[in-house]
Amino acid sequence: MYNSLSNDMKQFTNVSLKPLLSSWTMGTQSITTALATLPQYVFPPQHARIPITPANVLPIALPPLTLYLFLCYLVRRPNTRPYRLALFPVVVPWLWWLTFHVAWFPERTMAWNVPFTTTGVLFVTRAAEYTLSSTPALKLSERTPGDGGPAHSYSRLSPTRPTYLKVYHALSDSNELVQAHRGVGWTFGTGQGLQLPPLQARRPTAHRGAWLKATAVYDVMLNYLLVDAINTWWRTVPAITDPRYTPQAYEHLSAPMRVVVPVSVMLVVRSYMSMWYSFAGVLDVLGGAEPSTWPVLFGEPWKATSLHALWSTEWHQLSRHLFLTTLGYPLRALFGTPGLTLGAFASSGLYHNLMLIGDGLTPSYHLPTNAFFLLQALGLVLERAFRQLTGRRVRGWLGALWVWAFVALTIQPMAKTWLERGYLETSPIHPSVSVFERVVEAFR
């Protein structure tokens, strides 16, 4: 009987369990393989990305960007949530694909890859927010989206408008929301505590001609010259611009230069972004926009007397809403204000991490980059603790010294890895259009 039972069990195992075990093994192997290759689908390596050319840029970029523009139109109109929800599985992955599956510029050309990657990530997160939001996007002056606010006698929702006005309002509303990264004048920006830098008070926004002159001279031309001058100086330092030396950049830099170079990079970031932003503003105001819709992008970060002033007003706030909504607000619900600070800067670290991946970095958690932003959160928590213990805010010349020392110290690991990866090998200002490069050449 025992032999018969043993034979029956063997037969059952061979017939029923072996195929099942084999299928289970194959299934787990497939899942493991899929998980191992998942990063390649989310962040394909540089060689697997589609290179952009003049012949394919419009067929590749125009459809998803047009769909995003249409989504911005929908979120500016009432009773559109079902349509927006239906767009989520299309527009969000499509914009992600446009950001990370397309090679806009070659690897290690950070000055050009960064604007495209960061803008793409902003569009992805905004598209997700607009499709999932239960309420339309509102300006501070509006009761319902598109009603023009109390200062206007017309409504952009009136069905009696001429067709040309309907088309114009649709395009202008969509374009305005696309440009509203900071949310100046919107409930998601100014309505949630966004503050403009003190420099804005010195801009003549009430006079179009004076604003155009000041912006063109100070924010476009002078910033261009400043970026050009620093960029020309960089090219005289082989340790940070010559591919033969950049892999060991920090070995070739003196201690003072390890502070001066990262500070110069921050200054170039400030001036380079301000230059392009202000140039776009000049064109828009020449086209009829109000100067007040183009407040300054940066303040004067070198004048900051606290980390709070540096990161909340003097530095740009283009991604502020993204940082708050992704991790800032969720962590505030758990840990209060310290959680809000930690979450916002953790999100900023991940955002800059994605920026590096867009430039060709192997997908990973880049600790030096993320550590810099997390340490800024720690610095803000220390400032808050100082105020609670002493009843005084961090400010004055001691506050300025604290800011310079803290940033110069905490930026070192990130600066080392960025420089040694060769991020300054590519010039933000091409030598062919460099004013200072021509001056240097003339005296050689």
Side-chain angles (χ1 to χ4, degrees), residues 290-308:
E290 291 296 324
S292 59
T293 61
W294 286 91
V296 293
L297 184 60
F298 285 83
E300 299 165 306
W302 50 86
K303 292 184 178 180
T305 56
S306 69
L307 290 173
H308 180 268

Side-chain angles (χ1 to χ4, degrees), residues 66 226 354 383:
T66 302
L226 180 59
L354 291 174
E383 287 189 353

Side-chain angles (χ1 to χ4, degrees), residues 13 54 86 96 213 220 235 269 432 438:
T13 301
W96 183 273
K213 180 180 178 180
V220 179
R235 286 197 286 270
V269 168
S432 63
R438 296 180 182 225

Side-chain angles (χ1 to χ4, degrees), residues 141-168:
S141 60
E142 292 178 334
R143 297 178 298 272
T144 57
D147 68 359
H152 296 81
S153 59
Y154 67 86
S155 171
R156 294 190 171 214
L157 304 178
S158 173
T160 60
R161 291 170 298 162
T163 302
Y164 77 90
L165 269 184
K166 293 179 181 179
V167 174
Y168 170 74

Side-chain angles (χ1 to χ4, degrees), residues 54 125 146 329 433 437 439:
T125 54
Y329 292 148
V433 293
E437 186 73 21
V439 173

